[in-house]
Amino acid sequence: DFRRFLAIRRELAIRNMYPHAWVLIHNAFDASKREDAEQASRLMDAAIDLAPDLPSVYLARAQLNFSRSPFGLGKLWNDIYKAAQTSLQNPISKNRLLVNLIFSTLLSLAVAFVLFAMVLLLKNLRLFMHDFHHLFPRGVANFQTGILAIVILLLPILLRAGPVIVVLSWLTVGWIYQGWRSRSVIILFVVLIAAFPLALRFATDRMMMTQGVFSDALDVIDGPGHRSCLNNLRTRMVEGGDDKLILASLASYNKRQGKMEKAKALYNRALLLAPNSVVLLNNLGNVLFLGGDLKGAIELYIRATKVRPDVVEPYFNLSRAYFRSANLDKGKESINQAVRLDHDRVRALRELSDTKVTVPVADSIVDNPPKGEKKATMANYAVADLAIPHEWLYQVDEDTDSGAVFSRLLSASTGFSSMVSLWIACGSALVLLFILLALRRRVFSSNACVRCGRPACRICSPELRDDSVCGQCFHVFVKKSQVDARSRISKEIQVRKYNRRKATISTGINFLLPGIGQILKGRVLRGVLILLLFSVVLMQVLAGGYFVRDTISLGSWRNWLVLGPQLFMFALFYAWSVFDSFKDEG
């Protein structure tokens, strides 16, 4: 019965039957539990035959082989490679991987931005409060100006200004007291924030595609053509007008069903929209060929070869049309041209065109036809169709309202309702940063002391030669006058405790947040790189496959095969951060 089912499926040129493959895979695992290895292998191979474009079937076979032979790495890696290759070729899988990658990357970048801005704020908060105090008259107490400074920094949160405004305000404080490396990172972050809505819009459009024409057309093109998908495409064509993707999909389906007149009418309507499409020209020529209109088919094949002289199929079909018309010379010329383009492809097309199907007296297909029955060439393989380009699939379905979804996501993630307003905020932030850079020496004059971390301010201590050390360290370690030995020893102990505490905090925090310790130690570029890479890998592990879920889930084992490399990368970056922190201590 299964062989008969496969014969019908092949005669109808149905490439993928996902639900049937899903059932066979679960039956294969059940057979493996019963220790029926032969039956399990047969069922798994049959599942792959039913759905060759489904990555999960290859991962399922890899899991099955691994459970039976853990050391058979050859078959295991071969199936994993095949699954990866299929994922990049299958439009649905490729689109799902791309959307999940973009969303998880955007989320990881957002986490990294917030952490970086928070670290810079906390690192330079003491200096900011010190300089902020100088903006007021001398009689104002430090704790009063300090409270006011904290309120100003928390004002965007209290006013619910949105995440972007909060992060930009924190980055502004870090910008004032950092060197050129940190400032270059801050500028890069502001540019990435401005580019965020572009990536978000692209990912949202691709995510919403799976709910519209995208999936319906693929089911009709490569699948059995479920009634709901066909009705959706027909309804869309009636309500929205002609579309070359919908017309070509329905035409291909009707051609496979043997309804040549309907297929011809649909292809002609599609050609009005794309008159120079080699796919439409070739496939309409095939419909005419199968309908007996050899002259019309030849004209279309010739047009197709002029549009794309590098494509094999039109030359191959042209040769068959000429041979059918008894024009042997032109037939040989056409097939020779096809062979010159791609010999292996021509051989494969010949094998398909020679495929036979049993045509019994009754309406059924059997392996050994009784007397009186004959075999004939399958109509769907007599001439070669060209696949509908995947570029046609990547169109946004207006019915899915991706614009509204994008607006909600943008507002929730940034606090801005439009891209223009976000760009204005980022541009204003850049202008403000460079204004503060010009006012650096006039308003924000302090720096962190290289010895004890206290503010080194020339306003408070005019005798300082520069702003690298504070007043205490200047008198104790540089000037060394009018300072007794006891004070110097006390200050030295204080400096060592500060450095030890700073090193302990920086090293310890790397166990929780890799990269933060390097930022605290002043190694900003390395710290930001580790933080970004670690955040990206972490989000891939935690949420990399959950923004757009796989509609055909084949078991929890699939997650482990996919998560394995991600967990390895997670451990790699984590170890890099920790070991680099201890290396700094050494």
Side-chain angles (χ1 to χ4, degrees):
D1 290 338
F2 182 68
R3 285 196 296 270
R4 292 170 184 168
F5 173 78
L6 287 179
I8 295 174
R9 169 239 178 187
R10 186 172 186 182
E11 182 182 4
L12 294 176
I14 300 174
R15 181 171 174 82
N16 293 291
M17 306 191 74
Y18 297 138
H20 305 78
W22 184 84
V23 173
L24 290 179
I25 289 174
H26 281 279
N27 288 337
F29 279 100
D30 291 339
S32 179
K33 293 178 181 178
R34 299 192 305 268
E35 297 185 357
D36 189 350
E38 182 179 356
Q39 179 69 359
S41 297
R42 291 173 59 191
L43 290 170
M44 193 64 71
D45 293 340
I48 292 177
D49 187 46
L50 281 180
D53 295 333
L54 182 63
S56 299
V57 297
Y58 301 101
L59 293 177
R61 187 167 66 178
Q63 170 65 16
L64 185 65
N65 292 332
F66 181 78
S67 63
R68 293 192 331 221
S69 178
F71 298 102
L73 299 180
K75 292 183 178 180
L76 177 67
W77 290 114
N78 183 61
D79 285 331
I80 293 177
Y81 172 77
K82 189 67 176 178
Q85 185 181 42
T86 307
S87 297
L88 298 178
Q89 294 175 349
N90 186 327
I92 290 181
S93 298
K94 183 179 179 180
N95 188 67
R96 183 174 65 251
L97 290 173
L98 180 62
V99 171
N100 288 336
L101 177 63
I102 293 176
F103 273 120
S104 59
T105 301
L106 291 178
L107 183 59
S108 62
L109 290 176
V111 172
F113 289 174
V114 172
L115 290 176
F116 177 71
M118 188 180 299
V119 169
L120 288 188
L121 175 65
L122 296 176
K123 183 180 179 181
N124 300 285
L125 182 59
R126 186 178 182 181
L127 299 178
F128 177 77
M129 295 174 66
H130 180 87
D131 288 335
F132 188 77
H133 176 73
H134 286 312
L135 299 177
F136 295 86
R138 291 175 179 255
V140 180
N142 287 331
F143 79 91
Q144 293 176 324
T145 58
I147 293 175
L148 181 59
I150 293 176
V151 170
I152 292 175
L153 292 175
L154 294 178
L155 195 60
I157 298 178
L158 298 177
L159 297 178
R160 298 182 180 180
V164 169
I165 295 298
V166 174
V167 171
L168 289 177
S169 63
W170 293 353
L171 290 175
T172 302
V173 176
W175 169 273
I176 298 173
Y177 301 101
Q178 294 300 302
W180 67 268
R181 294 183 180 179
S182 298
R183 287 172 180 161
S184 62
V185 173
I186 291 173
I187 292 176
L188 175 62
F189 278 5
V190 175
V191 173
L192 290 177
I193 291 174
F196 171 81
L198 300 177
L200 182 65
R201 184 57 190 264
F202 177 81
T204 304
D205 290 344
R206 286 297 183 94
M207 179 180 65
M208 301 304 293
M209 283 179 186
T210 58
Q211 303 178 17
V213 176
F214 186 89
S215 57
D216 292 334
L218 275 177
D219 180 83
V220 172
I221 294 169
D222 292 331
H226 291 89
R227 183 174 299 177
S228 61
C229 298
L230 290 168
N231 291 336
N232 290 338
L233 292 181
R234 290 165 181 161
T235 302
R236 173 63 185 267
M237 187 171 60
V238 171
E239 295 178 352
D242 286 354
D243 180 274
K244 62 181 179 181
L245 170 64
I246 299 176
L247 291 169
S249 302
L250 294 175
S252 174
Y253 175 81
N254 283 284
K255 183 252 184 184
R256 296 203 320 259
Q257 299 292 317
K259 302 174 182 178
M260 298 302 170
E261 290 301 320
K262 289 185 177 181
K264 178 181 176 181
L266 291 168
Y267 272 131
N268 279 321
R269 289 169 61 181
L271 267 177
L272 295 177
L273 301 175
N276 293 323
S277 171
V278 64
V279 174
L280 298 177
L281 292 170
N282 178 81
N283 293 356
L284 177 58
N286 293 345
V287 172
L288 298 182
F289 177 91
L290 296 173
D293 185 1
L294 297 179
K295 182 178 179 181
I298 290 173
E299 292 178 357
L300 290 172
Y301 292 146
I302 293 176
R303 285 178 59 188
T305 59
K306 292 180 179 179
V307 173
R308 287 290 303 276
D310 59 329
V311 180
V312 173
E313 283 78 1
Y315 288 107
F316 176 81
N317 297 333
L318 183 60
S319 69
R320 295 189 69 82
Y322 277 135
F323 286 139
R324 184 71 64 89
S325 304
N327 193 337
L328 302 183
D329 292 336
K330 290 189 176 181
K332 291 180 179 179
E333 180 182 348
S334 300
I335 195 64
N336 289 335
Q337 178 61 28
V339 171
R340 282 193 291 269
L341 290 174
D342 193 337
H343 179 270
D344 294 336
R345 178 61 179 162
V346 172
R347 183 173 59 184
L349 293 176
R350 278 176 171 170
E351 292 176 355
L352 284 175
S353 64
D354 293 337
T355 301
K356 305 295 181 179
V357 62
T358 301
V359 183
V361 176
D363 189 18
S364 62
I365 297 177
V366 295
D367 292 326
N368 298 314
K371 187 176 181 180
E373 295 183 354
K374 62 180 181 178
K375 289 188 175 183
T377 300
M378 290 186 183
N380 284 318
Y381 300 98
V383 282
D385 279 347
L386 281 173
I388 294 177
H390 291 169
E391 293 79 14
W392 293 10
L393 297 168
Y394 297 121
Q395 55 180 299
V396 179
D397 190 350
E398 296 177 357
D399 296 337
T400 60
D401 198 13
S402 63
V405 176
F406 164 74
S407 297
R408 290 195 295 269
L409 290 176
L410 182 65
S411 178
S413 58
T414 65
F416 292 91
S417 58
S418 66
M419 289 190 290
V420 176
S421 57
L422 177 61
W423 291 340
I424 292 175
C426 291
S428 302
L430 289 176
V431 173
L432 176 61
L433 293 179
F434 285 102
I435 291 176
L436 291 176
L437 188 61
L439 299 175
R440 172 69 173 92
R441 294 299 178 185
R442 297 182 181 180
V443 180
F444 306 99
S445 58
S446 64
N447 274 321
C449 177
V450 296
R451 288 182 175 270
C452 65
R454 296 177 70 252
C457 178
R458 302 186 72 176
I459 297 178
C460 298
S461 303
E463 71 277 8
L464 295 180
R465 298 174 182 175
D466 53 36
D467 53 7
S468 61
V469 294
C470 64
Q472 291 183 5
C473 292
F474 175 77
H475 289 287
V476 172
F477 301 109
V478 180
K479 195 173 183 181
K480 298 180 182 181
S481 62
Q482 299 178 352
V483 178
D484 58 11
R486 182 178 298 178
S487 299
R488 285 198 295 269
I489 293 173
S490 176
K491 186 62 179 179
E492 182 66 31
I493 294 174
Q494 180 184 351
V495 169
R496 292 188 179 186
K497 286 183 178 180
Y498 165 77
N499 290 326
R500 190 181 304 112
R501 183 171 62 253
K502 179 181 177 182
T504 302
I505 294 175
S506 301
T507 304
I509 201 171
N510 264 348
F511 285 94
L512 297 176
L513 299 171
I516 299 298
Q518 282 81 0
I519 296 175
L520 290 176
K521 293 179 179 181
R523 308 180 69 176
V524 178
L525 295 182
R526 178 177 295 189
V528 169
L529 177 62
I530 295 175
L531 178 61
L532 288 176
L533 294 176
F534 181 80
S535 300
V536 170
V537 175
L538 179 62
M539 289 303 164
Q540 284 294 316
V541 173
L542 295 179
Y546 295 97
F547 296 99
V548 179
R549 301 296 299 274
D550 191 351
T551 56
I552 303 180
S553 179
L554 300 177
S556 60
W557 45 265
R558 179 182 63 86
N559 295 333
W560 286 108
L561 284 175
V562 174
L563 286 175
Q566 297 175 351
L567 290 173
F568 174 77
M569 295 299 295
F570 174 85
L572 181 64
F573 287 119
Y574 185 84
W576 177 24
S577 174
V578 173
F579 287 139
D580 184 74
S581 180
F582 281 110
K583 181 181 178 182
D584 290 343
E585 294 303 313

